[in-house]
Amino acid sequence: FVDANGDDVFETVTVLALNLPSGAHQVNNLKVDPTGAWLYFAQGATSDTTAGGGAVIARIAPGAQNLLWGSPQIQIVATGLRNSWGLEFHPSGSLFATENGRDDQGSLGPPEEMNRIVSGGDYGFPAVSGIPPVGHPSVAPIGLFDPHTSPNGFVIDAGSMMTGFEN
């Protein structure tokens, strides 16, 4: 989006990707990686119980335009993430993401998650929420939140915001 004259009206709009999976969840939290080489985004699952072509973290090269979902220029980084919201890069370059768990299991439903994203990792949805059973191949979260707390964002502090609370 470009607002060339500062009047809060976009003169130019660039479409990056088309035909993204639609349904219960949407694209959340765009984030450029520390090198400036990739634009990362979370594409939510199309329902509470199936991935439906979503439930991924993906990336595209900045400057790409009019890409169709499924094209090789949209690279799937990780799968099995029902509805990730917060995406943040650590100063080391590692990507972290929150994940909102299923809504259809009541107040004792599965926990929300904090995940360190590993390229090619499968985080378990729809088969697993929270800590995977022993022997299950999905990547375990590094932290859990109570069900339905909806951790929709976070910040990694490299020591400049709150003295004594680095990383």
Side-chain angles (χ1 to χ4, degrees):
F1 300 98
V2 176
D3 176 12
N5 60 13
D7 65 355
D8 293 330
V9 175
F10 297 123
E11 286 81 31
T12 305
V13 175
T14 302
V15 175
L16 302 178
L18 302 162
N19 298 331
L20 298 175
S22 62
H25 305 103
Q26 64 284 333
V27 171
N28 298 311
N29 204 332
L30 303 175
K31 187 64 75 171
V32 176
D33 80 332
T35 69
W38 297 97
L39 177 67
Y40 283 72
F41 64 95
Q43 171 62 54
T46 57
S47 81
D48 243 358
T49 57
T50 64
V56 302
I57 291 178
R59 69 183 191 173
I60 61 175
Q65 295 182 26
N66 298 313
L67 299 177
L68 294 176
W69 184 252
S71 74
Q73 294 91 348
I74 300 175
Q75 297 181 3
I76 305 300
V77 175
T79 59
L81 295 147
R82 177 187 167 271
N83 192 24
S84 286
W85 274 79
L87 294 179
E88 194 66 46
F89 284 94
H90 185 272
S92 68
S94 294
L95 178 62
F96 293 82
T98 59
E99 180 183 3
N100 294 340
R102 290 172 57 169
D103 296 321
D104 64 340
Q105 296 180 339
S107 62
L108 300 178
E112 319 288 36
E113 300 176 6
M114 171 64 77
N115 293 292
R116 180 180 179 273
I117 303 304
V118 177
S119 184
D122 181 348
Y123 291 79
F125 178 81
V128 174
S129 294
I131 304 296
V134 173
H136 196 277
S138 63
V139 179
I142 62 168
L144 299 173
F145 301 92
D146 288 338
H148 311 295
T149 53
S150 192
N152 291 340
F154 64 100
V155 172
I156 295 175
D157 180 14
S160 60
M161 291 186 279
M162 295 178 65
T163 305
F165 293 94
E166 294 84 14
N167 299 320

